[in-house]
């Protein structure tokens, strides 16, 4: 059967003047980390056919005729990195009122710039954690089709929020709120289920909710829980029934605990997570995505007249606590997956998160796993990304040095291939 298929493919290739023939790339690695859990191997040969890894062998194997050769003999080659929390369509700082001036379409233009910066930084898969209407979906298609140089995008679209919550438009007159409304705030289990279905229909790969107050929005009532338990249960059940996972922005401990108990799949930020909240997360298998880089970005902008007084107050509430949840989560066995909140700081600095995770208590190996194998598991894409193995997507990067002894080696990525395409 397979032979017949190949014959047909060959005939088609002849008929179309060879346009359908496969492209083969042979990569020579000085050192190889195929799986963050398995350590470093010596010189290796990776063969890529179109967008797939087709073989990995020890040593320097002979390349087939006509193959493109990439010699990374002095580098460590490893899986493309995964950032589970980015906002490609936005840049840091700026006046929140620009929301009432700039069209959504401008976000796509900003996003093409940021997709490229993110890919160059070694991130070949990202999860878009909230953006205006169809902007992230347009970018997702752009990078998939190769029109835009950038990572594979798993996109949420607009966040679900309570009325006046972190994901809703806040800080304007009521009549302006009505005009800027993205259409995804909800009240009660029924309306929240409806908004999940609406997000699914619009093209969401994942449902993003704001389960507590947030630091950078104008809503002024702190960082505590927002949705009711019934609303979050409805969101989680409806999303899961559609095959979608839910990621919940959450800072306050009781909001984190309630979101996890409701069946939400990952807690983003998790700043004030206490032992009670983390025990529920452990029991429910909820992942923590710490986004420590977000707070670096916020710290750099504090006291400079960039943020409104409402926001500055919330920033000061959080900065002393950032990172503490990571050590506690690790001690209790809560899975920790890599996400940065890029967009709150400059896109392209994503790998700065690795050193912060190590400072917070992870080993370099755990930090690398968080951005590869663990992140792939949270995405349910472990047969596609997060490791280098035959059959997986050809998402491959190379760095100088050994990231398993010094994670800052990941802050300068020398070579990137995403879905078989070499970033130039
Ligand atoms: Zn975010």
């Amino acid at each position: 059967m397979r032979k017949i298929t190949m014959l047909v493919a060959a005939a088609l290739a002849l008929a179309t003047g060879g346009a359908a023939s496969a492209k083969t790339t042979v990569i020579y690695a000085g050192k190889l980390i195929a799986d963050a859990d398995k350590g470093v191997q010596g010189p290796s040969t990776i063969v890529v056919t179109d967008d797939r890894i087709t073989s990995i062998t020890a040593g320097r194997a002979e390349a087939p005729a006509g193959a493109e050769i990439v010699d990374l003999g002095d580098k460590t080659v490893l899986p493309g990195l995964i950032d589970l929390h980015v906002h490609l369509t936005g840049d840091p700082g700026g006046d929140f009122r620009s929301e009432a001036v700039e069209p959504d379409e401008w976000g796509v233009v900003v996003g093409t710039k940021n997709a490229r910066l993110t890919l160059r930084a070694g991130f070949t898969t990202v999860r878009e954690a909230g953006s205006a209407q169809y902007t992230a979906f347009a970018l997702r298609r752009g990078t998939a089709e190769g029109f835009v140089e950038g990572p594979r995008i798993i996109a949420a679209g607009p966040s679900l929020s309570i009325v006046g919550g972190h994901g809703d438009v806040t800080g304007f007159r009521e009549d302006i709120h009505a005009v800027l409304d993205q259409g995804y705030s909800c009240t009660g289990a029924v309306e929240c289920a409806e908004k999940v279905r609406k997000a699914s229909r619009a093209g969401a790969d994942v449902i993003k909710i704001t389960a507590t107050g947030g630091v950078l929005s104008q809503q002024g009532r702190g960082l505590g829980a927002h949705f009711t338990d019934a609303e979050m249960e409805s969101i989680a059940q409806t999303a899961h029934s559609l095959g979608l996972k839910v990621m919940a922005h959450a800072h306050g401990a009781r909001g984190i605990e309630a979101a996890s108990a409701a069946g939400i799949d990952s807690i983003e930020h998790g700043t004030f997570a206490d032992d009670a909240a983390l025990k529920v997360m452990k029991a429910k298998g909820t992942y923590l995505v710490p986004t420590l880089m977000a707070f670096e970005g916020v710290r750099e902008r504090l006291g400079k007249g960039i943020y409104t007084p409402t926001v500055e107050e919330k920033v000061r509430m959080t900065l002393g606590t950032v990172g503490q949840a990571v050590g506690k989560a690790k001690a209790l066995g809560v899975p920790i997956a890599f996400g940065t909140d890029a967009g709150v700081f400059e896109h392209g600095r994503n790998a700065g998160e690795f050193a912060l995770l190590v400072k917070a208590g992870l080993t370099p190996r755990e930090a690398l796993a968080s951005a590869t194998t663990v992140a792939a598991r949270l995405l349910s894409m472990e047969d596609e990304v997060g490791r280098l193995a035959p059959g997986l997507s050809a998402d491959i990067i190379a760095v100088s040095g050994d990231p398993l002894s010094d994670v800052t080696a990941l802050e300068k990525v020398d070579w990137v291939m995403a879905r078989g395409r070499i970033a130039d």
Side-chain angles (χ1 to χ4, degrees):
M1 182 61 201
R2 192 179 155 80
K3 222 172 202 169
I4 292 166
T5 313
M6 283 171 72
L7 280 173
V8 171
L12 271 175
L14 281 174
T16 55
S21 65
K23 176 173 167 41
T24 302
T25 309
V26 173
I27 301 159
Y28 294 124
K31 289 178 183 162
L32 179 72
I33 303 172
D35 181 331
D37 299 326
K38 292 190 183 139
V40 188
Q41 296 159 252
S44 305
T45 303
I46 304 168
V47 179
V48 171
T49 307
D50 294 333
D51 63 341
R52 297 278 137 193
I53 298 168
T54 42
S55 77
I56 301 178
T57 47
R60 211 177 157 96
E62 203 180 323
E68 181 181 356
I69 292 169
V70 179
D71 195 340
L72 301 168
D74 57 347
K75 308 283 182 203
T76 303
V77 173
L78 65 156
L81 304 170
I82 301 167
D83 188 332
L84 294 166
H85 195 126
V86 302
H87 300 279
L88 290 173
T89 59
D91 279 323
D95 186 339
F96 79 94
R97 284 167 292 200
S98 65
E99 202 171 348
V101 179
E102 285 170 359
D104 290 350
E105 288 82 352
W106 179 242
V108 182
V109 176
V110 172
T112 59
K113 167 184 76 75
N114 292 332
R116 188 162 188 266
L117 289 171
T118 305
L119 184 71
R120 294 300 187 80
F123 290 82
T124 52
T125 299
V126 298
R127 196 168 59 164
E128 241 293 334
S131 53
Q133 298 302 350
Y134 296 92
T135 55
F137 305 147
L139 264 185
R140 175 180 65 191
R141 182 173 169 187
T143 66
E145 296 193 7
F147 295 172
V148 174
E149 195 178 59
R152 173 189 290 97
I153 298 170
I154 314 300
S159 302
L160 269 66
S161 170
I162 64 160
V163 173
H166 180 58
D168 193 14
V169 181
T170 52
F172 297 93
R173 293 159 42 142
E174 281 304 312
D175 47 350
I176 305 298
H177 288 150
V179 173
L180 297 179
D181 184 11
Q182 295 279 324
Y184 287 90
S185 58
C186 60
T187 306
V190 172
E191 195 184 15
C192 289
E194 183 193 340
K195 294 301 164 79
V196 171
R197 291 176 179 141
K198 176 176 155 153
S200 169
R201 180 178 66 187
D205 299 310
V206 59
I207 300 298
K208 165 81 185 288
I209 74 164
T210 53
T212 73
V215 178
L216 294 183
S217 57
Q218 305 307 315
Q219 55 91 29
R221 290 193 176 72
L223 300 168
H226 276 176
F227 283 106
T228 65
D229 291 352
E231 286 166 340
M232 284 200 289
E233 283 162 14
S234 168
I235 289 168
Q237 283 170 16
T238 307
H240 293 163
S241 75
L242 294 164
L244 301 173
K245 293 197 175 182
V246 185
M247 56 191 297
H249 155 109
H251 289 289
R254 300 289 67 80
I256 294 167
E257 185 176 345
S260 175
I264 271 130
D265 303 278
S266 65
I267 298 295
E268 314 289 309
H269 320 305
T271 313
F272 297 100
D274 57 12
D275 281 2
L278 290 162
K279 279 177 184 157
V280 175
M281 288 177 68
K282 167 68 180 164
K284 299 286 283 186
T286 316
Y287 288 65
L288 175 66
V289 180
T291 72
L292 305 177
M293 273 302 283
F295 299 95
E296 289 298 296
V298 167
R299 199 190 307 271
E300 290 162 11
R301 286 169 180 79
L302 190 63
K304 293 184 177 161
I306 294 169
Y307 301 134
T308 60
T310 305
V311 171
E312 289 246 333
E313 190 191 326
K314 290 186 286 182
V315 172
R316 291 182 205 283
M317 279 167 64
T318 51
L319 282 182
T321 311
V322 170
Q324 291 176 15
V326 175
K328 288 185 206 164
K330 176 180 168 176
L332 287 168
V334 173
I336 297 165
F338 187 102
T340 63
D341 219 354
V344 171
F345 62 94
E346 296 83 357
H347 293 274
R349 288 174 60 195
N350 313 54
E353 183 83 13
F354 287 107
L356 299 176
L357 288 170
V358 169
K359 200 173 150 200
L362 298 195
T363 64
R365 182 187 298 281
E366 288 166 342
L368 181 60
S370 79
T372 53
T373 50
V374 179
R377 269 200 294 282
L378 175 54
L379 293 172
S380 296
M381 291 178 70
E382 56 269 61
D383 294 328
E384 184 72 3
V385 297
R387 290 175 298 126
L388 299 181
L392 269 69
S393 179
D395 295 353
I396 308 169
I397 65 169
V399 299
S400 303
D402 175 12
L404 292 180
S405 54
D406 176 9
V407 287
T408 64
L410 297 166
E411 291 175 18
K412 193 185 165 296
V413 171
D414 298 319
W415 183 86
V416 180
M417 172 182 270
R419 293 186 273 199
R421 293 192 287 261
I422 297 170
D424 50 38

